[in-house]
Every structure is written in C-alpha cells, then in structure tokens.
C-alpha cells in the first residue's frame, strides 16, 4: 500500500474560508450558526442556518456563474484552493491518473427550488435551460474535472451525511493501491433552499432555536439537545502518494491511513450501534490499527435525539473501558451539519486538531446526558495533547456509515 | 435605440460584458454564452422586445444572428421594425 498524504486543503465554510480561520473559530467555539435571514424565514418553525460568507460573483465571470449552482461554485473554489496549497501538484502529472471524488447529499437543490418556483409558483414555462446541468449531483465533480483537465475517475457519492467521508475514503483506496497519482476528494453542499429546509423540518430533526443564544442551538451530546442545524460549504483535499508530495517540496497536512465502511441495513433513518461500531472497526482494520492506538475522535455528533446515544454506545462497543479516556469532539455544534460535505470538513478539522495537539471542544454542552457519557471535551478546547491518530466518523440516513482513519503529518 | 443597442444593453446588464466586445460578428460562444446560454438570453429578449419565441430550437452563433432573428420576429409579430418600437415593459422576474 502506498502512503497517502493530504498535501492541500481548500475550505468554504460557516467557520471561514482559510485553514487558520476555520481552526481558530473551532478552537474558540465561535459558532457559525445564526438566525437565517431569508425571504422565507417567516415560514420556518426555527429559522436557523450555518452559512458561508461566499459570493460567487467574486470568483466567476457572469456567463460562467449562470451555469453553476452554489454547490458547484463552492466545490470549484475549494478545489482550486486545495491545489494552490499543495505546491503545484499538477506539475508533471499524467492527468489520466488523477481523479475527482465528491460527496454531496442535496446537490443542486437551490436550482431545483428555483425551477419549481418558476413552474409552480410563477406559473411560467421559462425554466432555466441550465437547470438539469446545474442541479445534477455530479455537476460539482464534473466541473472540477473540466477545470483542471483531470481525466481519471470522476465520481460522485451521495450517501446522505456520510457522502464526503465516502468520497475521501474511496479516493484514498485508489491512491493507496497505486491506481491513481492524485485525487481531489471532498464534499460540497448548498442545502439552504426553502424546499430543502421545509423538508428537513418535516422530518423533525432540526434544532429548536435557543432563546438565549441562537448560535448555540445545536447541542451535541447534551441532554437538552433538540436537533441539528443545516449548514452550507465545502472542503476538498488533495490526496497523493506521500513520496510524490515530499519530492515536490509540499508540506503534507496529514495522512489518510484507513477507511471503514459498513451499512446498518436496518432502518432508513434510525441509526444502529452495530452498524456504526462495524464502521469504526473496519477503519481500524483498514489502517492496521489497534483500538488502543486511537488518540481522539471527531464524532458524527449531530445533536439529534437518535444519533448521539447510539454513537456513544458504538464507541463503547469498539473501545471498551478505554472509551471514556478518548477525547470525542462534535464540531457540528459550531459549523452546523453540512450533510454531504460534513465528513470532509470534519476530516479537515481532525487534521488541524492533530497538527496543533488539541482536542477541539464540543460546544453548547451545558447539560450532560447520562446516555452520552463519553469525554466530549465539553465547551473548552484541550491543549498540549499528543494526538498522532484520529478517527473521523460520518453516519447517515440510509445507513451508510463511514469512518476515516487519519494520522498527523510527520 | 436599434435592436443591436437594446441587445447590447441586456448583455452588459446581465452578463457584465464589455460593450466594445459586442460587435455584430462576435461569436456568443467566445463571450462565454453557449447555446443553452442563448436560450436563456432569449427569455429576456422576449420581454425586452415584446415578442413570443417559437418553440423550435434555433442556432444563433453571433450577436448579429440574434439581432436578425429578433428583427424577423418583431416584424412578423408586430408588423414594424424593432428599432421603431418603444421598449416593452418587462414583466418577468429578474434573471
């Protein structure tokens, strides 16, 4: 197996657009969740969102912009940033041996919503000619491939909230096996359309607004948790053989060392301890790790009633008595749930946490839940840790559980 | 205003294109507007010129081709050259 470096990272997120900014906000527990100011907010039970400060017009010429849903805009900008940070990784590359792997759950939902508005609400037949091309799930990956001339596999994964962890894992497999010399892998999501928000609302999984502090509405592992907050953004990683990155003078930000995938096969929404534990075990096996070698975990930690106790039980099932000694961070409290991009953003946060020797805080955890009695790093970051190996978990409606095993650079 | 000037105004407003680049012989593809982009552009042309586009697809590679297409439809549907018409009021949503 080839050692796989993460040699570049690009981010657009509710926590910021640079790695320094994202890390600083996650470290300080500054939340990107806020009251959602939108024309339809008055029709939402709890108008909350975690938005990215992103204006596509700053990145694309108007004719191109009209062809790109926000989800593709995020992906293209992140891919460019990841390449920019990787010390010219396309130089000397056989682009037939370079692939694109993108996860997205809702893809072009903003475009779909706009089309429905035109057809049903405005009773007009002038649906945009680009609607199919903007809305299709593989648009973000397709555009990245076109932009950079990457002619290897161009794949899109849609496994709900584990989509981008799957994308990174599947890309890792191909680089680790020697099939590819480079992969751009990650996820993108722009789910804050009226239709999407109402659909999620109807599912009764969204958080109620914290009356005292709306930005604290998502409370993973807390007894008074009420659900998740939808967020938008993207994260893309450059994955390549470690030796190739080093030979070029790149400074790897970490390594992907394994990937576990297991499916609940029990219920379309209800998570299972067995499925999540199987994915954790599979990640350990893939990375040839003993459970004792795991120093910290970035949890799926949605803040929903259903997930958090099940995830707690799954971690206990895998790590036994040591489960309570492992710092478990649920960063969705501050960046919201980016759905298909969540796994990629959380993978990035795990790499940054290892780099800085820090366990990132699980914010808004004021009321502990006996059913979630792990070391959740409540509310305050923990510094001065020697974290060499982390797992980043992403679980999903549909039951596709994915766990990435990551190692600190060096 | 001539048809060309009115079309240029749409292209400058919606596509932020430089007016000097909008010569009649300019290929729309080179301005970043492909055939689907032209189809979208024609929604605004319908409003601007008060015409109804036929459902048949049409190939309009250059700005001059679009101008000729508009002029033909205006004469057919309104009985007078486009440049003689006052600008129609737009009733569509902003694109």
């Amino acid at each position: 197996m080839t050692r796989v470096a993460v040699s570049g990272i690009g981010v657009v997120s509710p926590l910021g657009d640079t790695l320094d900014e994202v890390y600083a906000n996650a470290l300080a527990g500054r939340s990107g969740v806020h009251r959602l100011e939108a024309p339809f907010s008055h029709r939402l039970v709890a108008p909350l969102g975690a938005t990215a400060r992103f204006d596509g017009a700053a990145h694309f010429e108007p004719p191109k912009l009209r062809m790109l849903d926000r989800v593709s805009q995020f992906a293209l900008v992140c891919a460019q940033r990841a390449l920019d940070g990787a010390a010219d990784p396309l130089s000397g590359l056989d682009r037939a041996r370079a692939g694109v792997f993108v996860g997205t759950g809702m893809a072009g939902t903003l475009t779909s919503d706009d089309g429905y508005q035109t057809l049903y609400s405005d009773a007009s037949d002038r649906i945009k000619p680009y609607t199919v091309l903007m809305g299709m799930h593989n648009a973000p990956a397709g555009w990245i491939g076109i932009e950079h001339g990457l002619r290897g596999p161009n794949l899109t994964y849609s496994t709900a909230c584990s989509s981008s962890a799957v994308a990174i894992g599947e890309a890792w497999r191909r680089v680790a096996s020697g099939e590819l010399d480079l992969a751009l892998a990650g996820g993108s999501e722009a789910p804050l359309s009226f239709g999407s928000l109402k659909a999620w609302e109807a599912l009764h999984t969204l958080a109620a607004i914290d009356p005292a502090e709306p930005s604290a509405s998502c409370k993973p592992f807390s007894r008074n948790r009420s659900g998740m907050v939808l967020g938008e953004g993207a994260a893309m990683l450059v994955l390549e053989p470690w030796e190739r990155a080093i030979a070029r003078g790149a400074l790897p930000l970490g390594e992907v060392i394994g990937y576990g995938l297991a499916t609940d096969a029990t219920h379309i929404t209800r998570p299972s301890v067995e499925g999540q534990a199987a994915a954790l075990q599979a990640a350990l096996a893939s990375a040839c790790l003993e459970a004792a070698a795991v120093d910290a975990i970035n949890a799926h930690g949605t803040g929903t009633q259903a997930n958090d106790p099940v995830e707690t039980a799954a971690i206990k099932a895998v790590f036994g008595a040591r489960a309570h000694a492992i710092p478990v961070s649920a960063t969705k409290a501050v960046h919201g749930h980016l759905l298909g991009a969540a796994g990629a953003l959380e993978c990035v946060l795990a790499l940054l946490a290892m780099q800085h020797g820090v366990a990132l805080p699980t914010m808004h955890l004021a009321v502990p839940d006996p059913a979630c009695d792990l070391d959740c790093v409540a509310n305050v970051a923990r510094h001065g840790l020697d974290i060499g190996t982390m797992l980043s978990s992403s679980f999903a409606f549909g039951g596709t559980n994915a766990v990435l095993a990551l190692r600190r650079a060096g | 205003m001539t048809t060309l000037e009115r079309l240029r105004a749409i292209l400058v407003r919606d596509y932020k294109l430089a007016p000097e680049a909008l010569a009649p012989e300019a290929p729309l593809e080179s301005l970043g507007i492909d055939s689907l982009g032209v189809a979208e552009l024609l929604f605004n042309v319908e409003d601007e010129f008060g015409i109804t586009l036929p459902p048949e697809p049409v190939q309009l590679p250059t700005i001059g081709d679009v101008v000729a297409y508009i002029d033909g439809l205006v004469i057919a549907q309104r009985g007078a050259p486009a440049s003689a018409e006052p600008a129609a009021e737009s009733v569509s949503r902003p694109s």
Side-chain angles (χ1 to χ4, degrees):
Chain A
M1 294 279 276
T2 301
R3 192 178 171 193
V4 178
V6 179
S7 57
I9 294 174
V11 177
V12 169
S13 86
L15 296 181
D17 290 351
T18 67
L19 294 184
D20 287 347
E21 197 180 5
V22 167
Y23 174 69
N25 284 326
L27 182 71
R30 277 189 292 271
S31 177
V33 170
H34 57 85
R35 278 186 187 274
L36 195 62
E37 302 294 339
F40 50 76
S41 290
H42 65 286
R43 292 183 62 187
L44 299 174
V45 172
L48 289 168
T51 52
R53 292 187 310 277
F54 182 90
D55 178 8
H59 301 280
F60 303 99
E61 293 299 318
K64 179 81 171 283
L65 189 60
R66 298 170 83 92
M67 303 165 74
L68 300 172
D69 186 276
R70 192 167 169 84
V71 72
S72 292
Q73 297 171 31
F74 288 163
L76 276 166
V77 168
C78 282
Q80 185 63 60
R81 287 178 178 166
L83 292 168
D84 290 345
D88 200 11
L90 302 184
S91 172
L93 179 73
D94 175 358
R95 297 189 192 206
R97 289 177 53 81
V100 182
F101 300 76
V102 177
T104 186
M106 312 285 290
T109 182
L110 290 164
T111 295
S112 300
D113 231 40
D114 188 54
Y116 295 143
Q117 165 87 11
T118 300
L119 292 174
Y120 301 134
S121 183
D122 299 347
S124 165
D125 291 329
R126 288 180 176 180
I127 192 163
K128 286 181 182 171
Y130 290 119
T131 296
V132 169
L133 306 180
M134 293 170 75
M136 63 191 192
H137 272 57
N138 62 327
W143 278 113
I144 291 171
I146 291 164
E147 185 74 18
H148 301 291
L150 307 180
R151 302 193 306 278
N154 189 294
L155 296 171
T156 298
Y157 300 88
S158 195
T159 59
C161 305
S162 59
S163 299
S164 54
V166 169
I168 292 168
E170 296 295 330
W172 168 77
R173 277 184 175 163
R174 286 166 174 81
V175 177
S177 70
E179 180 184 336
L180 295 180
D181 294 331
L182 181 138
L184 268 166
S188 188
E189 202 73 84
L192 302 178
S193 69
F194 181 43
S196 161
L197 283 158
K198 287 303 284 184
W200 281 99
E201 183 181 290
L203 201 55
H204 297 293
T205 53
L206 298 184
I209 295 182
D210 184 311
E213 181 48 70
S215 72
S217 297
C218 182
K219 307 172 191 296
F221 296 119
S222 176
R223 199 170 62 196
N224 61 343
R225 68 187 180 277
S226 61
M228 62 194 210
V229 174
L230 291 185
E232 63 171 5
M236 295 297 300
L237 283 61
V238 175
L239 302 182
E240 62 179 319
W242 181 272
E243 299 304 332
R244 181 176 189 271
I246 296 298
R248 204 177 55 251
L251 295 172
L253 298 150
E255 278 181 72
V256 180
I257 57 172
Y259 160 53
L261 192 61
T263 302
D264 291 337
T266 50
H267 192 275
I268 196 71
T269 61
R270 198 175 304 141
S272 89
V273 174
E274 294 74 16
Q276 294 188 4
L280 289 161
Q281 291 282 17
L284 295 176
S286 163
C288 300
L289 286 175
E290 297 293 329
V294 174
D295 299 314
I297 296 173
N298 188 304
H300 185 52
T302 54
T304 58
Q305 291 300 326
N307 176 77
D308 297 358
V310 167
E311 185 167 11
T312 300
I315 289 171
K316 288 179 182 176
V318 173
F319 294 95
R322 195 173 159 266
H324 295 281
I326 302 172
V328 176
S329 305
T331 54
K332 286 186 177 76
V334 289
H335 54 67
H337 197 334
L338 273 63
L339 304 176
L345 179 60
E346 290 162 32
C347 170
V348 170
L349 285 166
L351 291 169
L352 292 170
M354 283 193 288
Q355 191 179 83
H356 290 88
V358 158
L360 293 170
T362 297
M363 296 304 295
H364 321 137
L365 208 176
V367 189
D369 182 348
C372 306
D373 59 346
L374 299 169
D375 172 7
C376 292
V377 200
N379 304 312
V380 179
R382 203 168 299 152
H383 295 262
L385 304 180
D386 180 18
I387 307 178
T389 303
M390 278 188 76
L391 300 182
S392 181
S393 297
S394 298
F395 309 132
F397 288 164
T400 305
N401 303 303
V403 177
L404 297 170
L406 307 166
R407 183 175 288 153
R408 184 177 58 202
Chain B
M1 288 173 77
T2 65
T3 302
L4 178 60
E5 288 166 339
R6 290 164 72 183
L7 181 63
R8 274 183 179 148
I10 294 173
L11 291 167
V12 170
R13 181 191 70 204
D14 293 346
Y15 296 84
K16 306 290 182 282
L17 296 171
E20 59 272 19
L22 305 179
E25 64 276 15
L28 286 158
E29 184 101 31
S30 72
L31 300 170
I33 304 173
D34 64 10
S35 59
L36 290 173
V38 172
E40 189 180 31
L41 168 67
L42 291 177
F43 289 158
N44 291 333
V45 163
E46 281 191 308
D47 293 335
E48 169 66 23
F49 293 90
I51 53 178
T52 303
L53 299 176
E56 295 79 22
V58 59
Q59 295 296 318
L60 303 170
T62 68
I63 287 177
D65 293 328
V66 178
V67 168
Y69 181 65
I70 293 170
D71 284 341
L73 288 172
V74 167
I75 289 171
Q77 295 179 15
R78 310 189 63 180
S83 56
E85 293 285 316
E89 288 182 19
S90 173
V91 293
S92 71
R93 289 189 296 134
S95 58

